[in-house]
Amino acid sequence: MQDIKELDLKGLEERLLFLGAPKYHARSIFDWIYRKGVSDFGKMSNLSASLRKELAEEFKILGIRELSRQESADKTAKFLFRLEDSNLVEAVIIPMKRRLQGSGDSRSFTGCISSQAGCKFACGFCASGMKGFRRNLTRGEILDQVFYLKNGVSGGNLTNIVFMGTGEPFDNYDNVLSAVRLINSPSGFNIGARRITISTCGIIPGIEKLAKEDLQVELSISLHAADDKLRSKLMPVNKKYPLADLIRCCREYIAKTNRQVTFEYILIKDINSDPASARRLVSLLKGLRLAKVNLIPANFLPELKIESPERLQVNFFKECLTEAGLEVTLRKERGQDIDAACGQLRLKYENC
Ligand code: SAH
C-alpha cells in the first residue's frame, strides 16, 4: 500500500483525478493530515463515504508505530518508533525557553528527528552508531515522526525541527530534502524554513548541494574537535573530509547563501575541553564571516566512557571563545532523566 506522505500536493491532485474525484480534495486531505493530525481516512468528514473508502484501500497515512513515550519532568518527551520492517528509530520533543508571542501560557517546542535507522559514521561519543547502520528512512517515515511529535505536544506548538536524532541527513540527502520541503510547505506542516535545522557530521558534497537549493534552512556542523588528529579519532568521517576542506566548504556556503553556520561542539571531559582546545577552535573559525558555536556539555554515556567536564571548565571554555569575538551559545542539558541523548533509548530497548 502506498504511503500518502510520499506525495506532494500536486501528486495527490493527479491521483485524485485518476480515481475520478475532484482534485481540490487534495488540499483538504493535506489539511486533515498535516494540520489537524488525523491519521484515519474515515474521520475526514468532508469527503464522501465512497472516496474515504477508496483512499483507505489505496493509501496508508502512517507507516511507523509509536512503541513508547517517556516524559521528563522538564516536558522533554522521547518517542521510540517501530518501522514496518521492525527497525527502531527515535525522536524527541524539547520545550524551548521562549513562550509563543501573545499566546499566554502556550510554549514553543523543538522536534528532534532521525533520518536513518542506525548510523554508519561511528562517532566516538554517540550511542547511535554503536549498533551499526540499518537503512535510510523514507520521506514518509521522516514525516511520520513529525506527525507524532506535533500531536504529542501538550500546552504548546511544534515550531522547530532539527535533524539531530539518529543518522546522517546528508547520507540520505534526497529523502531528507524532500521531507524538509513538505515540513516547510504551507499546505504541509507549515514550519518556516529558518526553523528547520539540518545537522551534519561534515559531508562536504551534502553541504555543497544544500547551498544550491532554494531553501532558507539552518545548517549545523558537528565539529567536536578543532584539529585533524583528534577529530579523526572522535569522528572517523574526518579522514574523508578533513577540517581544512570542511572549513573551506563552509566559507563557500556562507558566501553563496549569506546564511550563518552553527558549529556544534560537545565538551567531553579530558578529551577536547581544555584551554588549548578552545584556542585551536578560535583559530579554526576566525575569519568565517557568519559562524556561531553551540557548546554542548556531553551527555553521560558509560558505554563509551563519555562524560561532561566540570561546570567551571565549561564556563571557562565558553569565555575563551567569547573573548576572541566568537558568537557562542551553551546548550542546556535536558531530558537527562529519560536518556534523551542521541541513540540512548533505542540502545536500552534493544539491550533488554
Ligand atoms: N549525523 C548528524 C546528525 C546527528 S546529530 C550530525 O552528526 O550532526 C548528532 C548530535 O547529537 C551531535 O552534534 C550532538 O549534538 C548530539 N550528541 C551525540 N552524542 C552525544 C553525547 N554523548 N552528548 C551530547 N550530545 C550528543
Side-chain angles (χ1 to χ4, degrees):
M1 197 180 275
Q2 191 183 359
D3 185 339
I4 197 163
K5 289 184 295 5
E6 296 292 337
L7 297 175
D8 58 17
L9 192 64
K10 202 157 172 289
L12 183 58
E13 284 174 354
E14 280 163 15
R15 288 293 286 278
L16 287 174
L17 287 176
F18 187 75
L19 292 172
K23 70 172 193 182
Y24 63 79
H25 283 326
R27 269 193 192 277
S28 73
I29 296 168
F30 264 53
D31 201 53
W32 283 112
I33 298 174
Y34 299 112
R35 207 166 64 83
K36 301 198 183 97
V38 166
S39 59
D40 176 358
F41 289 113
K43 295 199 175 120
M44 300 185 180
S45 53
N46 61 342
L47 307 181
S48 71
S50 64
L51 180 59
R52 280 183 261 163
K53 187 164 166 282
E54 242 177 317
L55 288 169
E57 281 162 9
E58 195 83 8
F59 297 110
K60 64 181 174 202
I61 297 180
L62 289 176
I64 71 177
R65 273 199 310 115
E66 184 180 326
L67 212 58
S68 72
R69 187 187 304 196
Q70 283 174 276
E71 272 185 49
S72 161
D74 64 10
K75 278 205 160 226
T76 300
K78 179 136 175 164
F79 294 68
L80 183 68
F81 299 111
R82 188 193 293 280
L83 310 179
E84 279 175 345
D85 61 5
S86 295
N87 274 311
L88 303 176
V89 292
E90 61 208 331
V92 187
I93 40 180
I94 306 152
M96 289 158 76
K97 274 186 293 213
R98 194 168 46 81
R99 307 222 168 241
L100 290 176
Q101 264 182 357
S103 55
D105 222 20
S106 188
R107 291 181 87 173
S108 165
F109 285 76
T110 295
C112 173
I113 59 175
S114 297
S115 56
Q116 298 180 312
C119 185
K120 26 176 120 139
F121 292 87
C123 298
F125 47 82
C126 178
S128 290
M130 284 173 69
K131 292 254 170 178
F133 177 68
R134 304 288 167 83
R135 68 169 172 84
N136 280 337
L137 298 188
T138 63
R139 153 173 149 139
E141 288 165 339
I142 295 169
L143 296 174
D144 281 345
Q145 297 171 67
V146 181
F147 181 96
Y148 279 105
L149 298 186
K150 178 178 160 80
N151 296 311
V153 166
S154 63
N157 286 312
L158 187 71
T159 55
N160 293 60
I161 290 291
V162 296
F163 281 85
M164 291 188 185
T166 305
E168 167 53 44
F170 287 159
D171 192 42
N172 185 15
Y173 189 93
D174 292 344
N175 292 349
V176 165
L177 262 286
S178 165
V180 163
R181 291 194 189 278
L182 198 121
I183 295 169
N184 175 229
S185 161
S187 55
F189 287 114
N190 197 19
I191 293 179
R194 288 164 190 230
R195 295 176 181 270
I196 302 171
T197 301
I198 298 182
S199 180
T200 178
C201 60
I203 310 284
I204 290 177
I207 302 170
E208 289 171 344
K209 234 170 143 183
L210 183 70
K212 294 189 198 122
E213 305 276 351
D214 182 23
L215 261 178
Q216 305 260 298
V217 292
E218 297 295 321
L219 175 65
S220 268
I221 311 284
S222 292
L223 196 63
H224 310 320
D227 67 281
D228 278 315
K229 192 160 164 251
L230 179 60
R231 192 164 190 268
S232 294
K233 209 168 135 204
L234 286 177
M235 305 178 71
V237 69
N238 190 69
K239 292 176 200 146
K240 186 159 185 196
Y241 301 117
L243 281 168
D245 296 348
L246 180 59
I247 299 299
R248 189 180 320 117
C249 171
C250 289
R251 182 172 291 115
E252 285 163 12
Y253 176 90
I254 293 166
K256 188 160 186 354
T257 62
N258 217 15
R259 301 198 56 76
Q260 187 176 59
V261 172
T262 300
F263 292 90
E264 310 282 338
Y265 193 101
I266 301 178
L267 289 166
I268 309 169
K269 187 177 176 180
D270 298 333
I271 304 276
N272 66 353
S273 48
D274 57 318
S277 298
R279 283 194 293 275
R280 275 194 291 273
L281 184 56
V282 167
S283 72
L284 184 73
L285 299 184
K286 76 167 185 274
L288 278 185
R289 189 163 56 86
L290 295 166
K292 189 179 104 179
V293 178
N294 188 26
L295 296 174
I296 310 153
N299 279 312
F300 180 53
L301 271 184
E303 299 94 332
L304 295 171
K305 298 200 174 58
I306 292 295
E307 59 181 308
S308 168
E310 307 300 321
R311 202 70 196 157
L312 211 62
Q313 208 175 355
V314 170
N315 291 340
F316 187 74
F317 196 98
K318 181 172 181 233
E319 206 48 43
C320 288
L321 306 188
T322 313
E323 264 177 26
L326 285 175
E327 190 184 333
V328 190
T329 51
L330 181 61
R331 193 191 288 175
K332 225 176 102 198
E333 292 134 276
R334 272 166 302 199
Q336 290 270 15
D337 52 332
I338 56 164
D339 293 332
C342 204
Q344 286 190 24
L345 184 66
R346 187 178 75 116
L347 203 70
K348 262 199 174 166
Y349 192 88
E350 289 186 340
N351 284 342
C352 288

